[in-house]
Amino acid sequence: MSYESREVRLARRPHGWPVPEDFDLATVDVPEPGAGQVVVRNSFLSVDPYMRGRMNNVPSYVPPYVLGEPMEGGAVGEVVASGDPSVPVGTHVIHGFGWREFALVDAAKVRAVDPALVPSESMYLGALGMIGLTAYAGLFAIAGMKPGETVFVSGAAGAVGQMVGQIARLKGAGRVIGSAGSAAKVENLTGRLGFDAAFNYHDGPVADQLAKAAPEGIDVYFDNVGGEHLEAAIGAMKLNGRAAICGAISVYNSTEPPTAPRNLGLLIGKRATLRGFLVGDHGALMPEFLAEAAPWLRDGSLIADETVYEGVDNAVDAFLGLLRGENLGKMLVRV
Ligand code: NAP
């Protein structure tokens, strides 16, 4: 027996903004697993900004996607055939072989999850997975956020940003400020997610809007965006300010070098720190993070919005929509 599976492949490397023609949808037969392998029927696929970087053929912390091959990415699903007794049929797992309906995976490369513990197993790709841990590691292990401090997060309506602002508030931040790309997103941040202030970065210079939202300056900046946002945050930093450099989505599709930040010299007098990080280096924090975050998610004090596209044939649209800012919270594809 085999499993007919549709999968998304990278057909050519995008130049600047990706377009649908950069991708192919192919149908393959996934064979029965050999010894030590499992076949997973994926239920949710993750699309993430870092995938844009993997479409370029440049050296990075992860290898580039291979042209003509299915792309990789986070996925959660159920084992439907198993060649490994430690991962029996019916086990729900997360793994890195998304962008396809069925995945043949080494059993050693899947991690079992309990779908009964969460409202939707998609949460293991977001708030209770890599996304939530990114927020937690960046805020505490990297930026050393302390109660009473003022925290600014860009990309605040996205998956990581929503978690950052809410976790900062739950851990006693004095003031939490977010920026996002639409009035509706800004309203969601202050009206529903408990941010003290938020602004639409399309409404005027980020530095001016940040100065209004944080007249006394910021202690911590969680950077998802780079460019003008980072420059504004450096300008607004108080003495001994810290920035967790998580992402730079404003430049992921650029074909020219970034023009900002132009004010790195301010770091000297401010004794400020900018520190990049990768969530993959902070797996040891996962148990501590889950112990704190799972009760918050259960009692509703932490909200995890999701934007869900239907079907692997819409995965490319979901990814392109993510880059355009069409998501509120985690962008996912239900298979
Ligand atoms: P996301 O924020 O859910 O989605 C991306 C969002 O970026 C869009 O919804 C869009 O919202 C915003 N955006 C797009 N272009 C922008 C621009 N030019 N300026 C400002 N905002 C723009 O994605 P995510 O998964 O939470 O990731 C957020 C950032 O964290 C990304 O940079 C990602 O690469 C990074 N990340 C890093 C790590 C790590 O280990 N370091 C781990 C996970 C994620 P708007 O409507 O607000 O524009």
Side-chain angles (χ1 to χ4, degrees):
M1 186 181 157
S2 62
Y3 303 85
E4 190 178 279
S5 175
R6 291 178 298 167
E7 60 185 32
V8 181
R9 298 173 174 176
L10 189 63
R12 64 180 190 200
R13 303 208 180 274
H15 181 70
W17 282 82
V19 293
E21 294 71 32
D22 296 330
F23 307 89
D24 270 339
L25 185 67
T27 303
V28 296
D29 284 323
V30 173
E32 283 290 321
Q37 294 181 314
V38 294
V39 172
V40 183
R41 182 175 54 225
N42 288 331
S43 50
F44 285 95
L45 312 176
S46 182
V47 290
D48 297 274
Y50 79 84
M51 293 168 170
R52 176 64 189 88
R54 290 193 72 180
M55 292 169 191
N56 297 334
N57 191 16
V58 292
S60 178
Y61 60 93
V62 274
Y65 288 133
V66 179
L67 287 183
E69 295 282 324
M71 291 186 291
E72 295 172 0
V76 62
E78 184 178 353
V79 173
V80 292
S82 176
D84 187 317
S86 69
V87 190
V89 169
T91 310
H92 288 253
V93 294
I94 60 169
H95 60 88
F97 297 87
W99 291 97
R100 68 200 82 185
E101 292 173 314
F102 288 87
L104 178 67
V105 193
D106 286 347
K109 291 190 173 166
V110 305
R111 182 165 65 83
V113 295
D114 186 350
L117 289 183
V118 286
S120 162
E121 64 182 347
S122 57
M123 272 197 180
Y124 289 114
L125 298 175
L128 280 181
M130 186 268 279
I131 295 295
L133 184 64
T134 302
Y136 194 80
L139 271 177
F140 303 112
I142 303 300
M145 188 212 104
K146 294 186 281 296
E149 290 191 324
T150 297
V151 176
F152 171 48
V153 54
S154 55
V160 173
Q162 280 199 337
M163 292 295 117
V164 169
Q166 293 180 89
I167 292 173
R169 176 176 54 75
L170 287 161
K171 295 288 278 182
R175 186 167 172 76
V176 176
I177 299 147
S179 68
S182 75
K185 289 182 176 184
V186 166
E187 167 58 29
N188 191 50
L189 292 175
T190 51
R192 197 162 145 265
L193 303 188
F195 282 58
D196 297 290
F199 59 86
N200 177 351
Y201 64 85
H202 296 298
D203 283 350
V206 178
D208 295 353
Q209 300 201 72
L210 182 56
K212 279 198 200 107
E216 291 171 14
I218 63 172
D219 300 288
V220 167
Y221 173 49
F222 194 108
D223 191 18
N224 287 317
V225 165
E228 185 194 356
H229 273 85
L230 179 55
E231 182 170 302
I234 292 170
M237 265 184 186
K238 296 185 195 172
L239 204 61
N240 299 313
R242 289 94 58 205
I245 308 296
C246 176
I249 196 164
S250 69
V251 300
Y252 289 173
N253 292 310
S254 299
T255 51
E256 300 297 325
T259 53
R262 299 162 298 180
N263 57 352
L264 289 175
L266 291 179
L267 299 176
I268 303 162
K270 292 181 185 235
R271 285 79 153 176
T273 309
L274 309 188
R275 187 171 163 203
F277 73 104
L278 285 174
V279 62
D281 298 336
H282 296 273
L285 277 179
M286 193 56 129
E288 174 188 323
F289 163 66
L290 291 177
E292 292 220 65
W296 290 332
L297 282 162
R298 269 198 299 275
D299 73 16
S301 48
L302 180 61
I303 295 172
D305 288 322
E306 293 182 344
T307 302
V308 181
Y309 278 57
E310 300 293 335
V312 72
D313 43 329
N314 285 314
V316 169
D317 284 346
F319 176 69
L320 299 179
L322 174 82
L323 297 179
R324 285 193 297 264
E326 287 168 9
N327 57 309
L328 194 61
K330 181 76 191 94
M331 186 69 111
L332 294 160
V333 177
R334 193 190 340 253
V335 181

